[in-house]
């Protein structure tokens, strides 16, 4: 599929290039912020699983570009196991969010202080098997939640991707052990065919068991009495946001504005994508196939 056909099929893909966002997922954070305002007043924020950096760009727009000279400077730290292109308003940590060493690197960026907000748009490479994808996403969300409990200050916010499934109640109850407000939201730029949604958690309240140290692993040291008291059937509000924006499942004309439409390249191409090695191997096989079969054909024709 070429650029022109995808630009027509996915309006947010096209708008991301026109507005110079690194990914179309930037609109998800924009619509979540418009609805819930969790970035208002934030001075220190961490973006987990940040590459290629669409959400980090939104954070820099809301925090740095709205900054005045009379307010203390803000700090944004982007974390990802993959290499990420630099940005003037970001500090980048290349590390695995499941490792304690990554927690130490993040805290060093903030001089040992905790942060106001943590966001995570991370997702595994989907397999097409819903049960497998749900399991992988739950593990990723648990890792993001664990690292959040180590770096988030009391009263802070946490926003992360979740795949909707039958076992969401367990994950949502786990989040309620540390957040007094938990809801699930679906931005309009997220396709209806996608099972993704986002948990929006506010008012972080550490609930560690007796003798547990602050910054320890939350799944091991949380207050189990409080966790057991939560009802497994407790309902979680589900909110649709971004109602005034374009519908991600609809096809729009490329002439949205008055100017003539121009096909654009993405704002940031992947630096070292995980599929790069596969492309290299496939390319070598193609060359080998063309050489060997080409020689054979020449011999037969001769």
């Amino acid at each position: 599929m070429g650029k022109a056909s995808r630009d027509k099929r996915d309006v947010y893909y096209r708008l991301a290039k026109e507005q110079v966002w690194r990914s179309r997922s930037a609109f998800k954070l924009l619509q979540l912020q418009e609805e819930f305002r969790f970035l208002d007043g934030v001075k220190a924020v961490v973006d987990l699983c940040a590459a290629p950096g669409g959400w980090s760009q939104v954070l820099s727009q809301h925090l740095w570009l709205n900054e005045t000279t009379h307010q203390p400077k803000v700090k944004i730290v982007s974390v990802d196991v993959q290499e990420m292109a630099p940005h003037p308003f970001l500090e980048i940590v290349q590390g695995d969010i499941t490792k304690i060493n990554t927690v130490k690197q993040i805290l060093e960026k903030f001089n040992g202080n905790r942060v106001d907000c943590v966001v995570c748009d991370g997702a595994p490479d989907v397999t097409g098997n819903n049960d497998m994808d749900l399991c992988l996403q739950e593990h990723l969300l648990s890792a993001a939640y664990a690292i959040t409990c180590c770096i988030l200050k009391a009263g802070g916010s946490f926003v992360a991707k979740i795949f909707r499934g039958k076992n969401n109640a367990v994950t949502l109850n786990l989040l309620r052990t540390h957040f007094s407000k938990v809801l699930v939201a679906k931005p309009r730029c997220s396709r209806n065919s996608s099972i993704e949604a986002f948990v929006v958690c506010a008012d972080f309240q550490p609930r560690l068991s007796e003798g547990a140290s602050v910054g320890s692993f939350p799944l091991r040291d949380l207050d189990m009495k409080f966790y057991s008291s939560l009802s497994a059937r407790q309902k979680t509000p589900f909110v649709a946001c971004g109602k005034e924006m374009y519908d991600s499942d609809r096809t729009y004309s490329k002439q949205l504005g008055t100017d003539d439409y121009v096909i654009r390249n993405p704002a940031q191409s992947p630096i070292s994508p995980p599929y790069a090695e596969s492309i290299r191997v496939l390319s070598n096989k193609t060359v080998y196939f063309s050489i060997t079969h080409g020689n054979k054909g020449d011999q037969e024709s001769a």
Side-chain angles (χ1 to χ4, degrees), residues 267-284:
Q268 177 62 57
S269 300
I271 296 178
S272 56
Y275 52 82
E277 180 64 17
S278 299
I279 294 177
R280 186 189 67 80
V281 172
L282 182 62
S283 176
N284 289 341

Side-chain angles (χ1 to χ4, degrees), residues 16 19-34 37-40 42 45 47 50 52-67 74 76 78 84 87 89-90 117 119 121 159 189:
Q19 300 178 17
V20 201
W21 296 112
R22 291 188 179 185
S23 63
R24 73 182 298 281
S25 64
F27 293 103
K28 300 174 186 177
L29 187 57
L30 286 169
Q31 293 176 8
L32 290 169
Q33 162 63 10
E34 182 182 19
R37 313 303 302 180
F38 50 84
L39 295 178
D40 293 356
V42 167
V45 60
D47 182 10
W55 277 33
S56 295
Q57 280 185 291
V58 175
L59 295 174
S60 65
Q61 182 192 67
H62 276 270
L63 305 185
W64 271 105
L65 300 184
N66 295 334
E67 186 74 11
V74 302
I76 305 168
S78 303
M84 180 174 158
H87 189 279
F89 299 123
L90 307 177
C117 181
V119 298
D121 189 35
V159 178
C189 59

Side-chain angles (χ1 to χ4, degrees), residues 22-300:
R22 291 188 179 185
S23 63
R24 73 182 298 281
S25 64
F27 293 103
K28 300 174 186 177
L29 187 57
L30 286 169
Q31 293 176 8
L32 290 169
Q33 162 63 10
E34 182 182 19
E35 181 74 22
F36 304 107
R37 313 303 302 180
F38 50 84
L39 295 178
D40 293 356
V42 167
K43 299 299 177 186
V45 60
V46 174
D47 182 10
L48 301 176
C49 304
W55 277 33
S56 295
Q57 280 185 291
V58 175
L59 295 174
S60 65
Q61 182 192 67
H62 276 270
L63 305 185
W64 271 105
L65 300 184
N66 295 334
E67 186 74 11
T68 66
T69 56
H70 303 289
Q71 295 175 327
K73 295 296 182 182
V74 302
K75 180 171 285 190
I76 305 168
V77 174
S78 303
V79 184
D80 202 289
V81 71
Q82 299 179 25
E83 186 179 358
M84 180 174 158
H87 189 279
F89 299 123
L90 307 177
E91 294 191 32
I92 299 174
V93 171
Q94 186 173 357
D96 188 342
I97 65 172
T98 64
K99 307 296 184 183
I100 190 64
N101 187 53
T102 304
V103 179
K104 296 177 180 178
Q105 292 182 63
I106 295 173
L107 291 175
E108 286 175 0
K109 293 288 186 180
F110 294 96
N111 299 320
N113 298 318
R114 293 191 165 217
V115 303
D116 302 313
C117 181
V118 178
V119 298
C120 178
D121 189 35
D125 294 330
V126 294
T127 64
N129 184 323
N130 280 352
D131 291 336
M132 175 68 74
D133 295 338
L134 285 168
C135 180
L136 293 173
Q137 180 61 23
E138 286 177 0
H139 281 288
L140 183 60
L141 178 56
S142 295
Y145 165 64
I147 201 172
T148 295
C149 291
C150 297
I151 64 177
L152 188 64
K153 65 173 59 173
S157 302
F158 174 55
V159 178
K161 180 178 291 185
I162 187 173
F163 285 175
R164 293 172 293 163
K166 58 184 178 181
N167 294 325
N168 282 164
V170 177
T171 302
L172 296 172
N173 267 358
L174 189 61
L175 293 171
R176 290 193 186 96
T177 60
H178 290 89
F179 294 92
S180 61
K181 301 176 182 177
V182 177
L183 58 85
V184 178
K186 179 79 169 177
R188 190 171 178 82
C189 59
S190 178
R191 301 181 185 92
N192 291 330
S193 58
S194 172
I195 60 174
E196 74 167 3
F198 294 87
V199 287
V200 181
C201 310
D203 192 17
F204 177 64
Q205 299 294 331
R207 303 182 189 276
L208 297 177
S209 60
E210 184 177 355
S213 60
V214 175
S216 58
F217 192 63
L219 306 187
R220 181 190 64 197
D221 295 324
L222 60 82
D223 187 342
M224 293 306 299
K225 291 183 179 179
F226 180 82
Y227 178 75
S228 301
S229 67
L230 295 172
S231 171
R233 297 182 178 275
Q234 184 173 350
K235 292 184 178 180
T236 302
F238 187 91
V239 180
C241 53
K243 297 179 181 178
E244 302 301 323
M245 297 292 289
Y246 295 103
D247 185 351
S248 58
D249 290 298
R250 181 181 166 189
T251 299
Y252 291 87
S253 169
K254 288 182 289 188
Q255 303 298 336
L256 291 176
T258 56
D259 299 333
D260 292 335
Y261 177 72
V262 178
I263 299 177
R264 296 173 172 83
N265 292 319
Q268 177 62 57
S269 300
I271 296 178
S272 56
Y275 52 82
E277 180 64 17
S278 299
I279 294 177
R280 186 189 67 80
V281 172
L282 182 62
S283 176
N284 289 341
K285 287 183 177 180
T286 303
V287 172
Y288 175 77
F289 181 85
S290 62
I291 292 176
T292 56
H293 285 255
N295 291 339
K296 183 178 178 181
D298 294 340
Q299 293 172 0
E300 290 179 349

